[in-house]
């Protein structure tokens, strides 16, 4: 593998997103949402203004869990199929570059754009709030940002995989929307439904592991489990055993969610 | 029409072949897109590949570039296989202009070349001279979005020229170019040929290609139906030629009389002339017979079969 080739492709993807203001737009969306949630998140309780980092992160998690998978899927769904459909893929592949280098370059460039937006968008909020945050709170917020980046990477990896499998862009966008519905909306409902149907008789042992099959749930556990004051607010997270909730372990699971779809995509793209 | 498969000696471009295709086959299920193609292109040769849409020439092109794997057979560029470990070295010798080239709308012409130069590991300072060569210097800082079809084609060609490739694969290179640009394009090709660059190009505009290529191959139904110089193809096809003899109507019958014993294939009386069709080997005999009519003949035209006739003869 020649890293230089990967870098050239990644660089082009990243600069494309920077230049067409995609990075700026997404960062702004994150900043605005985070600020609104931090200041008005407690409005239901009849008060506005920043309250606690725990509540703020919990609210942000509920938002990000919908938003980031959607943004990542939209960003990556046409990475390969778009080039193929426009007719520029042949020319790229006629260069001294392997298919893996092309795929990895595309992924890393898009991942850099998404990570940059996430860190810039939420980071700005951290700067604004920094006066009101102590060190442990900042640490939690940093953890939230890092896990948001990982969540984006995982869904971007799924998106790039779909872009390799799809026959055309329309097909790819359909698959991306289906993936979003499945992981963000349907998966937890299915698990809850199964838990209720079985009367919870086998629940305890398997369900925590089943949660690992969804990067969105991994993200939720990563953020919620460490915050004692909000843990009880979340149904599924409470069935999660403490031994599995190690951040490094969950981080590894996220990493697997990044690597596996990319590996499948590479296998398919080489065929 | 019989498809003539010339003996290997005529197909071969000799030991200097820089592109060697042996029994190249590509099947898509039951469809034989390319079916047992043998082809040699000599170093420094300008080689044309013609055929109808769906004849298999684009697939063969993409196989030669290593973009489409072979079902069976072997393709070598400068002695090395097009895929596998050494593919990078092979690719660096190649310039490719795809049919209907698509570039990135959001980049400028110059940035487009810089991007491809990085992928080809060509120094960035080669970009400006290449743009100059294809006549795009004035538009170097404009986005490709604003380019006309012809300008995009030129930029695609510029990209293929990066890194001084030894072999150029040009798929329908003059698509979208106006006549003046086509002339300029072939002028550049002539310069490249003088530098010893091997070029393989496809076209469906036969009149354009026939004066310019050293040899050409006619493809139909996934096979090379004929290969050789334009002249050799004409002779090999042995298509009949026509004499149009203009003379007074009253003398039309005399033509039949003087040709009576000759192997002509048709004699047709038309408005103001008689059309005589004969095989190539009878050409001089027919001409002598017609000369015997003396000053009865007011005018005489010989119609040789065109490359179109040859092409349609092979590909029908």
């Amino acid at each position: 593998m020649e890293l230089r080739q990967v870098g050239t492709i990644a660089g082009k993807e990243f600069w494309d997103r920077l230049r067409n203001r995609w990075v700026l737009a997404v960062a702004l969306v994150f900043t605005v949402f985070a600020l609104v949630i931090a200041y008005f998140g407690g409005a239901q309780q009849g008060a506005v203004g920043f309250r606690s980092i725990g509540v703020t992160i919990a609210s942000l998690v509920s938002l990000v869990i919908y938003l980031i998978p959607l943004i990542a899927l939209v960003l990556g769904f046409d990475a390969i199929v778009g080039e193929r459909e426009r007719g520029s893929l042949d020319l790229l592949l006629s260069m001294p570059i392997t298919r893996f280098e092309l795929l990895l370059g595309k992924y890393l460039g898009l991942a850099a754009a998404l990570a940059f937006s996430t860190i810039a968008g939420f980071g700005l909020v951290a700067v604004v709030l920094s006066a009101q945050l102590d060190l442990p709170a900042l640490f939690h917020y940093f953890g939230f940002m890092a896990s948001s980046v990982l969540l984006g990477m995982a869904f971007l990896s799924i998106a790039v995989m779909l872009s390799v499998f799809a026959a055309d862009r329309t097909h790819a966008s359909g698959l991306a929307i289906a993936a979003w519905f499945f992981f963000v909306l349907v998966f937890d409902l299915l698990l809850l439904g199964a838990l209720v149907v079985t009367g919870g008789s086998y629940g305890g042992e398997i369900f925590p592991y089943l949660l690992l099959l969804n990067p969105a749930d991994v993200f939720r556990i990563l953020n919620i489990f460490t915050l004692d004051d909000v843990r009880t607010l979340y149904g599924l997270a409470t069935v999660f055993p403490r031994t599995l909730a190690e951040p490094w372990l969950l981080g590894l699971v996220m990493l697997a969610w990044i690597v596996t779809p990319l590996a499948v995509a590479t296998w398919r793209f080489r065929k | 029409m019989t498809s003539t498969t010339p003996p290997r000696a005529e197909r071969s471009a000799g030991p200097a072949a820089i592109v060697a295709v042996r029994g190249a086959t590509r099947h898509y299920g039951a469809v034989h897109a390319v079916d047992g193609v043998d082809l040699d292109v000599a170093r420094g040769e300008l080689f044309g590949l013609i055929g109808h849409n769906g004849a298999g020439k684009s697939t063969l092109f993409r196989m030669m570039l290593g973009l489409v794997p072979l079902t069976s057979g072997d393709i070598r560029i400068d002695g090395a296989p097009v895929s596998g470990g050494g593919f990078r070295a092979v690719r660096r010798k190649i310039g490719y202009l795809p049919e209907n080239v698509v570039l990135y709308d959001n980049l400028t012409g110059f940035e487009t070349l810089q991007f491809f130069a990085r992928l080809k590991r060509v120094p960035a300072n080669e970009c400006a001279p290449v743009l100059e060569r294809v006549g795009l210097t004035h538009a170097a800082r404009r986005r490709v979005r604003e380019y006309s079809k012809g300008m995009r084609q030129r930029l695609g060609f510029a990209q293929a020229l990066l890194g001084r490739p030894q072999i150029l694969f040009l798929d329908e290179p003059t698509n979208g170019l106006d006549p003046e640009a086509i002339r300029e394009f072939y002028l550049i090709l002539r310069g490249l040929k003088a530098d010893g660059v091997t070029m393989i190009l496809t076209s469906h505009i036969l009149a354009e290609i026939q004066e310019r290529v050293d040899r050409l191959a006619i493809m139909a139904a996934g096979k090379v139906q004929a290969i050789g110089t334009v002249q050799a193809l004409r002779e090999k096809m042995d298509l009949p030629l026509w004499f149009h003899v203009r003379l007074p109507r009253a003398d039309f019958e005399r033509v039949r009389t003087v040709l009576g014993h000759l192997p002509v294939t048709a004699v047709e009386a038309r408005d103001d002339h008689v059309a005589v069709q004969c095989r190539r080997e009878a050409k001089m005999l027919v001409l002598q017979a017609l000369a015997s009519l003396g000053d009865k003949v007011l005018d005489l035209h010989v119609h040789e079969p065109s490359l179109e006739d040859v092409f349609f003869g092979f590909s029908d």
Side-chain angles (χ1 to χ4, degrees), chain A residues 24-233:
Chain A
L24 181 69
V26 172
L28 269 179
V29 167
F30 287 153
T31 305
V32 169
F33 271 107
L35 280 178
V36 168
I37 282 173
Y39 279 96
F40 301 112
Q44 287 167 338
Q45 282 82 42
V48 293
F50 178 72
R51 297 195 313 152
S52 86
I53 191 69
V55 174
T56 301
I57 288 181
S59 311
L60 278 174
V61 163
S62 317
L63 167 83
V64 158
I65 213 162
Y66 291 99
L67 205 55
I68 285 191
L70 190 65
I71 290 172
L73 286 164
V74 168
L75 180 62
F77 84 94
D78 74 340
I80 297 296
V81 78
E83 297 265 4
R84 181 176 287 148
E85 195 167 301
R86 285 172 351 108
S88 47
L89 189 61
D90 260 9
L91 183 56
L92 269 184
L93 290 175
S94 78
M95 298 288 139
I97 187 171
T98 65
R99 286 176 178 241
F100 175 62
E101 286 161 2
L102 176 62
L103 195 70
L104 189 64
K106 284 255 172 198
Y107 177 78
L108 290 179
L110 296 176
L114 184 55
F116 192 83
S117 299
T118 309
I119 292 168
F122 289 124
L124 193 64
V125 178
V127 172
V128 171
L129 293 181
S130 57
Q132 286 146 290
L133 296 179
D134 55 12
L135 209 58
L138 267 177
F139 178 74
H140 275 305
Y141 192 79
F142 176 78
F144 158 74
M145 275 170 52
S147 62
S148 298
V149 169
L150 284 178
L151 178 69
M153 308 291 97
F155 274 91
L156 188 63
S157 181
I158 292 169
V160 169
M161 179 182 78
L162 297 179
S163 86
V164 171
F165 277 87
D168 53 54
R169 284 187 82 235
T170 318
H171 184 204
S173 63
L175 287 176
I177 292 168
W180 186 80
F181 266 97
F182 177 75
F183 284 115
V184 174
L185 300 178
V186 178
F187 188 90
D188 286 4
L189 275 180
L190 283 180
L191 279 197
L192 276 173
L195 203 58
V196 170
V197 167
T198 59
S201 48
Y202 333 86
E205 293 97 57
I206 329 170
F207 276 82
Y209 294 97
L210 291 178
L211 285 177
L212 299 182
L213 294 178
N214 183 350
D217 280 324
V218 177
F219 168 76
R220 200 194 320 258
I221 297 160
L222 257 173
N223 282 288
I224 302 305
F225 206 84
T226 47
L227 299 166
D228 289 329
D229 53 343
V230 289
R231 200 147 70 96
T232 48
L233 295 175

Side-chain angles (χ1 to χ4, degrees), chain B residues 257-276:
Chain B
T257 314
V258 298
L259 294 173
H261 62 289
L262 291 175
V264 294
T265 44
V267 181
E268 295 169 7
R270 296 183 184 169
D271 298 341
D272 63 339
H273 68 271
V274 179
V276 178

Side-chain angles (χ1 to χ4, degrees), chain B:
Chain B
M1 194 58 62
T2 52
S3 89
T4 46
T5 306
R8 173 59 60 84
E10 281 179 48
R11 312 197 128 209
S12 169
I18 192 165
V19 177
V21 180
R22 293 286 172 272
T25 299
R26 175 67 198 184
H27 295 172
Y28 292 101
V31 179
H32 295 190
V34 172
D35 201 4
V37 167
D38 290 316
L39 198 68
D40 273 330
V41 179
R43 204 174 287 276
E45 194 172 18
L46 179 49
F47 191 88
L49 195 59
I50 61 175
H52 293 304
N53 288 335
K57 57 187 192 322
S58 276
T59 306
L60 179 61
F61 234 60
R62 297 172 73 232
M63 287 161 81
M64 291 195 274
L65 289 159
L67 297 176
V68 171
L70 281 69
T71 307
S72 63
D74 184 48
I75 294 180
R76 276 166 198 271
I77 304 284
D78 207 7
V82 284
S83 49
F87 88 102
R88 268 188 238 271
V90 172
R91 292 274 174 85
R92 292 208 167 95
K93 296 178 188 171
I94 291 176
Y96 172 43
L97 172 61
E99 186 181 358
N100 302 321
V101 62
V102 177
L103 300 157
Y104 301 101
D105 279 356
N106 57 331
L107 299 184
T108 67
F110 193 72
E111 287 166 343
T112 304
L113 282 197
Q114 278 184 318
F115 172 63
F116 287 112
R118 273 197 291 272
L119 285 177
K120 290 183 173 186
R121 295 230 179 161
V122 170
N125 59 18
E126 253 195 52
C127 296
V130 169
L131 270 181
E132 172 85 50
R133 192 161 195 180
V134 300
L136 275 180
T137 304
H138 66 286
R141 303 284 162 196
R142 274 160 60 192
R143 299 233 177 156
V144 173
R145 185 180 293 128
E146 302 164 26
Y147 277 28
S148 68
K149 174 99 172 65
M151 289 165 81
R152 285 162 198 251
Q153 195 69 13
R154 282 162 190 254
L155 186 58
F157 185 43
Q159 161 281 129
L161 293 178
L162 281 171
R164 300 164 199 276
Q166 296 174 29
I167 315 165
L168 277 174
F169 288 91
L170 309 168
D171 203 352
E172 304 274 354
T174 53
N175 250 357
L177 297 184
D178 57 42
E180 173 65 13
I182 291 177
R183 215 180 54 81
E184 282 171 24
F185 170 77
Y186 280 105
L187 225 56
I188 297 176
L189 290 203
R190 202 178 301 167
L192 291 166
K193 189 169 157 56
D195 295 342
V197 176
T198 310
M199 286 166 278
I200 304 178
L201 57 93
T202 68
S203 182
H204 59 271
I205 308 170
L206 302 167
E208 178 191 312
I209 204 173
Q210 69 179 340
E211 303 151 23
R212 280 140 169 163
V213 295
D214 298 324
R215 285 191 309 148
L216 62 93
I218 296 172
M219 277 196 85
K223 290 185 161 77
V224 170
Q225 305 290 348
I227 189 167
T229 61
V230 173
Q231 190 54 36
L233 287 179
R234 268 194 196 132
E235 283 165 13
K236 202 172 294 160
M237 276 303 284
D238 195 22
L239 287 171
L241 42 89
W242 287 91
F243 289 92
H244 290 184
V245 193
R246 195 155 71 82
L247 70 176
R249 237 173 199 290
D251 296 318
F252 273 18
E253 270 311 306
R254 281 171 176 267
V255 176
R256 280 188 206 280
T257 314
V258 298
L259 294 173
H261 62 289
L262 291 175
V264 294
T265 44
V267 181
E268 295 169 7
R270 296 183 184 169
D271 298 341
D272 63 339
H273 68 271
V274 179
V276 178
Q277 191 195 44
C278 72
R279 299 178 70 94
R280 180 171 296 279
E281 64 262 25
K283 179 179 173 183
M284 293 317 289
L285 287 172
V286 171
L287 200 58
Q288 281 162 18
L290 292 173
S292 72
L293 290 169
D295 55 8
K296 299 283 180 209
V297 178
L298 302 173
D299 202 358
L300 181 78
H301 287 286
V302 184
H303 290 267
E304 292 268 356
S306 69
L307 185 57
E308 268 84 358
D309 300 326
V310 175
F311 172 57
F312 287 120
F314 277 114
S315 65
D316 278 348

